[in-house]
């Protein structure tokens, strides 16, 4: 078996193994490109609000958090959304409170609460991803399918392995589109060599005027070539999301990275309530972030969230800065002590370390969280391209399998007649 035949076999059988997974990922990914819009369309009662009057003012998010904490004493409201979009409700996430020395934490019936920012009224709740609650969890369930086949940790790792194989297969598939060495007569081979190599490769990028099986082959090959760069981005970023135990060592071996805020030490015993009041923490966070912006040469454009981490006893302050590529939202992060308000660390999405810059671009391209609706439309179409490539690959394999079976039957019949 020649080298090319070996790669053909690898591409064929890896593609067959991945086809079902990639069809699910492609279809769900096309929907998730419009996640915010579809969430608001499916559940307007949770996501959409109207100002009670033209001059109505929104409540302070910290005040809303205090009210929620009082209304849900068996839960912890540890994240305060600071970005307020016109016409959108505020989303607060809850987590189980510690159960005490001899009791385990109780599971919450719901872990997301939607609040009217003008009145503080609770619009509704849901257990994220629990489809038994009805249509309000449709998009979260689609996300679970996309990320893990809704199978939890096992599905997450499984999809990570699929993404790793897909990444490798991106390069194998591209190699197989290159012009093969000619095995024809010397005169014909010499004629082919006189043609520029790119000219000989160009047919692989085109759809010829033919239908049926030939069209399947052209769609599979040309579709993969024209979208190859973004297919690789989707594949490798999926490894980053689902299989960090592979992605991180590989990327850290080649590129510089900042220490992540998760590397900060944990407390011996978690501290559910911060010693520093939330209002004081936000004031300190704004001041410290302004200092960091001045020292590191970036601008703060908008606040995103203030979060308390009881495991480390830290506040985290997230903003959108000039180092972000994500919009809206942002991933510029700062940590400070939950008791003293002392600065503990800063993480910048771009410009500080090449490895972090690469990951920021990979993950934000994957989630269509930049460049507005044109990028969402592009990712939506790309998800359908992934589906088409998977389906056409299976069709090509099935056609060749039947052809091999027919050829084998013909050979047996000829041998039988010769006896």
């Amino acid at each position: 078996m020649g080298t090319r035949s070996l790669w053909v076999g690898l591409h064929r059988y890896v593609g067959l193994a991945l086809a079902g997974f990639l069809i699910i990922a492609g279809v769900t990914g096309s929907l998730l490109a419009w996640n915010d819009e579809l969430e608001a369309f499916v559940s307007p009662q949770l996501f959409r609000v109207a100002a009670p009057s033209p001059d109505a003012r929104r409540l302070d998010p910290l005040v809303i958090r205090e009210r929620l904490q009082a209304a849900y004493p068996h839960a912890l409201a540890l994240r305060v959304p600071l970005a307020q979009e016109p016409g959108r409700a505020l989303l607060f996430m809850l987590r189980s409170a510690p159960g005490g020395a001899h009791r385990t934490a109780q599971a919450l019936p719901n872990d997301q609460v939607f609040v009217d920012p003008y009145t503080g009224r609770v619009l509704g709740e849901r257990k994220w991803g629990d489809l038994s609650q009805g249509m309000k969890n449709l998009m979260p369930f689609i996300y679970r399918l996309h990320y893990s086949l809704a199978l939890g940790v096992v599905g997450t790792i499984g999809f990570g392995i699929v993404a790793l194989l897909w990444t490798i297969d991106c390069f194998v598939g591209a190699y197989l589109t290159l012009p093969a060495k000619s095995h024809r007569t010397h005169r014909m081979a010499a004629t082919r060599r006189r043609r520029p190599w790119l000219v000989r490769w160009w047919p692989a990028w085109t759809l010829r005027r033919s239908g049926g099986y030939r069209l399947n082959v052209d769609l599979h090959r040309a579709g993969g070539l024209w979208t190859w760069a973004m297919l690789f981005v989707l594949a490798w970023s999926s490894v980053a999301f689902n299989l960090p135990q592979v992605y991180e060592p590989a990327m850290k071996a080649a590129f510089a990275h900042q220490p992540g805020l998760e590397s900060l030490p944990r407390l011996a015993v978690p501290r559910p309530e911060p010693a520093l009041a939330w209002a004081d923490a936000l004031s300190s966070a704004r001041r410290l972030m302004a200092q960091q912006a001045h020292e590191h040469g970036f601008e703060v454009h908008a606040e995103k969230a203030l979060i308390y981490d009881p495991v480390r006893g830290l506040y985290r302050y997230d903003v959108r800065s000039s180092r972000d590529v994500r919009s809206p939202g942002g991933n510029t992060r700062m940590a400070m002590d939950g008791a003293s308000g002392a600065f503990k660390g800063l993480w910048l999405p771009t410009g500080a370390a090449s490895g972090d810059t690469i990951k920021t671009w990979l993950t934000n391209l994957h989630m269509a969280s930049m460049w507005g609706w044109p990028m969402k439309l592009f990712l939506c179409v790309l998800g359908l391209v992934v589906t088409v490539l998977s389906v056409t690959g299976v069709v090509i394999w099935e056609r060749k399998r039947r052809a091999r079976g027919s050829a084998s039957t013909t050979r047996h019949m000829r041998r039988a007649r010769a006896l």
Side-chain angles (χ1 to χ4, degrees), residues 168-250:
I168 297 169
D169 197 46
C170 281
F171 291 94
V172 175
Y175 165 74
L176 293 176
T177 68
L178 301 178
K181 292 182 179 179
S182 176
H183 298 288
R184 301 180 185 180
T185 64
H186 293 296
R187 180 178 295 178
M188 294 179 67
T191 301
R192 285 173 57 86
R193 280 196 297 270
R194 283 196 294 270
R195 296 169 61 198
W197 182 82
L198 288 176
V199 172
R200 288 187 284 125
W201 193 26
W202 175 246
W205 295 76
T206 62
L207 297 178
R208 283 160 283 189
R209 295 181 180 178
S210 55
Y213 174 71
R214 186 72 254 173
L215 179 61
N216 267 283
V217 173
D218 289 348
L219 281 172
H220 188 77
R221 184 172 56 189
L225 280 173
W226 283 106
T227 58
W228 188 90
M230 275 303 300
L231 293 176
F232 170 73
V233 166
L234 292 180
W236 189 230
S237 59
S238 296
V239 177
F241 285 128
N242 288 55
L243 212 60
Q245 54 267 52
V246 172
Y247 175 89
E248 290 181 5

Side-chain angles (χ1 to χ4, degrees), residues 85-120:
E85 300 178 43
R88 300 280 294 195
L90 286 180
L91 170 58
F92 285 82
M93 290 176 280
L94 305 178
R95 59 183 290 182
S96 299
H102 305 290
R103 294 183 293 118
T104 58
Q106 296 181 350
L108 298 175
N110 294 295
D111 53 19
Q112 291 188 334
V113 180
F114 298 82
V115 181
D116 186 325
Y118 296 100
T119 64

Side-chain angles (χ1 to χ4, degrees), residues 12-243:
R12 177 183 300 146
Y13 292 110
V14 168
L16 285 172
L18 303 186
F21 296 99
L22 294 183
I23 289 171
I24 293 173
V27 173
T28 55
S30 292
L31 293 172
L32 288 171
W34 306 98
N35 181 72
D36 291 347
E37 292 82 359
L38 289 174
E39 282 267 60
F41 176 77
V42 172
S43 304
Q45 74 281 7
L46 296 180
F47 286 89
R48 292 177 177 165
V49 295
S53 64
D55 58 346
R57 300 183 65 180
R58 296 180 175 88
L59 296 175
D60 186 335
L62 295 180
V63 172
I64 297 177
R65 192 209 73 85
E66 287 182 7
R67 294 181 183 179
L68 282 180
Q69 190 62 77
Y72 297 85
H74 301 297
L76 294 175
L78 301 179
R79 182 183 185 278
V80 179
L82 300 175
Q84 299 192 38
E85 300 178 43
R88 300 280 294 195
L90 286 180
L91 170 58
F92 285 82
M93 290 176 280
L94 305 178
R95 59 183 290 182
S96 299
H102 305 290
R103 294 183 293 118
T104 58
Q106 296 181 350
L108 298 175
N110 294 295
D111 53 19
Q112 291 188 334
V113 180
F114 298 82
V115 181
D116 186 325
Y118 296 100
T119 64
R121 181 173 65 90
V122 172
L123 302 173
E125 308 172 7
R126 71 180 180 186
K127 182 78 170 179
W128 187 88
D130 183 358
L131 197 57
S132 68
Q133 292 187 343
M135 289 294 288
K136 64 183 178 181
N137 262 317
L138 176 62
M139 292 309 298
F141 181 74
I142 288 174
Y143 178 88
R144 289 179 59 210
L145 281 177
H146 181 79
Y147 184 72
S148 66
L149 287 178
L151 296 176
V153 175
V154 173
T156 299
I157 295 174
F159 247 140
I161 295 171
V162 167
L164 183 60
L165 292 173
W166 185 21
T167 302
I168 297 169
D169 197 46
C170 281
F171 291 94
V172 175
Y175 165 74
L176 293 176
T177 68
L178 301 178
K181 292 182 179 179
S182 176
H183 298 288
R184 301 180 185 180
T185 64
H186 293 296
R187 180 178 295 178
M188 294 179 67
T191 301
R192 285 173 57 86
R193 280 196 297 270
R194 283 196 294 270
R195 296 169 61 198
W197 182 82
L198 288 176
V199 172
R200 288 187 284 125
W201 193 26
W202 175 246
W205 295 76
T206 62
L207 297 178
R208 283 160 283 189
R209 295 181 180 178
S210 55
Y213 174 71
R214 186 72 254 173
L215 179 61
N216 267 283
V217 173
D218 289 348
L219 281 172
H220 188 77
R221 184 172 56 189
L225 280 173
W226 283 106
T227 58
W228 188 90
M230 275 303 300
L231 293 176
F232 170 73
V233 166
L234 292 180
W236 189 230
S237 59
S238 296
V239 177
F241 285 128
N242 288 55
L243 212 60

Side-chain angles (χ1 to χ4, degrees), residues 289 298-305 318-332:
M289 184 63 84
F298 65 88
E299 297 178 0
V300 176
H301 295 316
E303 294 181 306
K304 181 181 178 183
D318 291 1
V319 303
R320 178 166 60 85
S321 77
S322 55
R323 297 292 185 90
D324 275 289
V325 298
R326 181 187 183 98
S327 182
N331 291 317
T332 300

Side-chain angles (χ1 to χ4, degrees), residues 256-262 288-300 317-326 330-335 343 345-361 364:
H257 287 72
Q258 304 163 88
L261 299 185
E262 68 279 357
L288 289 173
M289 184 63 84
Q291 293 175 357
Q292 293 299 310
H294 177 72
E295 291 178 15
H296 294 276
F298 65 88
E299 297 178 0
V300 176
Y317 181 54
D318 291 1
V319 303
R320 178 166 60 85
S321 77
S322 55
R323 297 292 185 90
D324 275 289
V325 298
R326 181 187 183 98
N331 291 317
T332 300
R333 301 167 183 165
M334 185 195 68
F343 173 78
L346 175 72
W347 190 89
L348 297 173
T350 66
S354 57
D356 294 319
T357 299
I358 291 170
K359 186 175 182 180
T360 294
W361 278 95
N364 282 282

